[in-house]
Amino acid sequence: TLSKMTTNQTKYTTWIFGCLLFILPLTYPGLFNTSTDLLPKRAVLYVFAAALCLIVTPQGLIVFKNKLTRVAVIYVLWNFLSLIWAAHPFTGWVEALQLIAILLLFLIASNIQPFAHRLSLFATAAGGIVSIIGILQYLGLGFDTILSVGLPSSTFIFRNLLAAYLLGAIPLSLFLIFTSSKTMHRAISIIALTTMTLCLFYTRTRGAWVSIVLGCFLCLILFLTIPQ
């Protein structure tokens, strides 16, 4: 059981990081004369992800409670081994750090249920808005002034990057649909899931299509075979 202090820390840091999960995807290179590089957006998210995990975990420790957690750790470690033969080591390190940030968030979410629901709601809402921007770009109905080298890219410069973001946001919307007890949250998730799926289709990124299908299939297997 979390202490009162740890519970308050979880509440405050969840709101802070939740706001970042909502705001960062909606910012785009060149907004308010900012940098045209995506690196600042990614760097801020990684730093706060790591800091959040250090703050909200009880006594700074993470308990590996189920098989799914161990599978996630093994996956990340395997990706780190791939740096040995990476053709572009620097790019490989950037992607590896991204996996570490995602893994830390996953470990926290798997141990603190309210944390998972709140952050999923922020991320799902942002994903819905980002996908609406991408859909409108694809249909030629607006947002064509946002820097892009491959439409529809929404706020992510290139459509493949948008597809990668949606691959992470879509499962969170599904998580809320099946676990949230609040009608409003489920309604938001259903709407966001619909727009994100349509936007993912519009990106014409076949690798992302295959990934989402295989990912959902794997999650179904894990859901049916692993308790909890």
Side-chain angles (χ1 to χ4, degrees), residues 41-51 94-95 97-99 101:
K41 178 189 291 190
R42 298 176 69 178
V44 171
L45 188 60
Y46 299 163
V47 169
F48 273 89
V94 172
E95 298 302 324
L97 290 175
Q98 173 177 307
L99 281 177

Side-chain angles (χ1 to χ4, degrees), residues 79-93 95-96:
N79 276 272
F80 259 88
L81 286 177
S82 69
L83 293 173
I84 298 174
W85 57 82
H88 302 283
F90 177 76
T91 301
W93 273 108
E95 298 302 324

Side-chain angles (χ1 to χ4, degrees), residues 41-111:
K41 178 189 291 190
R42 298 176 69 178
V44 171
L45 188 60
Y46 299 163
V47 169
F48 273 89
L52 179 67
C53 295
L54 295 175
I55 293 174
V56 304
T57 49
Q59 301 170 346
L61 298 176
I62 297 174
V63 181
F64 295 87
K65 299 198 300 186
N66 53 51
K67 295 179 180 179
L68 183 57
T69 300
R70 292 193 285 272
V71 170
V73 173
I74 292 173
Y75 173 76
V76 172
L77 290 177
W78 173 254
N79 276 272
F80 259 88
L81 286 177
S82 69
L83 293 173
I84 298 174
W85 57 82
H88 302 283
F90 177 76
T91 301
W93 273 108
V94 172
E95 298 302 324
L97 290 175
Q98 173 177 307
L99 281 177
I100 287 294
I102 294 174
L103 175 64
L104 289 173
L105 286 172
F106 172 77
L107 293 176
I108 296 298
S110 63
N111 285 275

Side-chain angles (χ1 to χ4, degrees), residues 116-207:
H117 279 90
R118 291 168 191 162
L119 285 192
S120 295
L121 181 61
F122 279 108
T124 297
I129 297 174
V130 165
S131 60
I132 290 173
I133 294 174
I135 291 171
L136 293 175
Q137 286 178 331
Y138 180 81
L139 297 176
L141 299 177
F143 298 100
D144 54 354
T145 58
I146 297 178
L147 179 66
S148 175
V149 293
L151 293 174
S153 58
S154 189
T155 59
F156 287 85
I157 295 182
F158 187 54
R159 55 189 175 85
N160 285 3
L161 296 177
L162 171 60
Y165 168 75
L166 295 176
L167 282 178
I170 287 175
L172 297 179
S173 64
L174 288 169
F175 170 72
L176 282 178
I177 290 172
F178 288 109
T179 62
S180 180
S181 59
K182 297 182 178 181
T183 303
M184 179 61 70
H185 292 179
R186 295 180 65 182
I188 292 173
S189 301
I190 291 173
I191 294 172
L193 175 62
T194 302
T195 59
M196 286 190 290
T197 303
L198 181 59
C199 186
L200 183 62
F201 176 76
Y202 283 160
T203 62
R204 309 182 303 283
T205 307
R206 290 184 291 274

